Amino acid sequence: MPNRRGFTEMGHRLIACCTAEGKPIGVAVIDLDSFKSVNDRFCHAMGDAVLKRFARVAQASLRTNDVIGRIGGEEFAILLHGSDPVASFAIIERIRRAFQAEAEFIEGVPVRATLCAGVAGASTMVSMESLLKDADIALYRAKNGGRNRVQTFTPLAASDGTITQIA
């Protein structure tokens, strides 16, 4: 799985491709819930096994044109080719459920790992930074909402016409 640099390089190409094709692009930022406690309770080797399990589950759920990368310790990002926010939510929710089931027990140990994800998207040319920022806002809403959930970014037009985030 590519690191942040590899993800960014592939992501720029995917955004350009979606723009040229006139297709939307979805993005998700995913954080494994309470990952530090997995390392603290079970050891770093189990933490590594959880990361590998997530990578396997996520990659098995994605299409060949999608791009996934590890962008931080237990944080991942996914760009979804031709996916509007509704389709993107469905894909990421499917990954969340599959990971929860697959990470209930790892090597016979009751790890019960889960994830939070923020989903956003665009139907016109947009920067990767903007997409990731919107998905990150949704991720923090998911974390604040109780974890083990997927949240979609929802902008709200203010009275002056600018876009603000619903708190």
Side-chain angles (χ1 to χ4, degrees), residues 52-101:
K52 289 175 186 174
R53 181 71 50 98
F54 170 76
R56 184 176 54 78
V57 167
Q59 289 173 323
S61 299
L62 297 175
R63 302 157 301 179
T64 56
N65 289 343
D66 298 330
V67 174
I68 184 170
R70 184 173 175 198
I71 61 172
E74 70 277 4
E75 193 167 78
F76 299 83
I78 300 173
L79 287 169
L80 300 161
H81 179 269
S83 291
D84 64 22
V86 172
S88 297
F89 178 90
I91 292 166
I92 302 306
E93 177 62 15
R94 186 173 63 238
I95 291 170
R96 185 197 65 76
R97 288 181 185 191
F99 177 66
Q100 182 178 7

Side-chain angles (χ1 to χ4, degrees), residues 2 18 30 40 48 77 83 123 127 150:
C18 285
I30 298 168
D40 291 347
D48 289 345
S83 291
S123 58
S127 71
V150 178

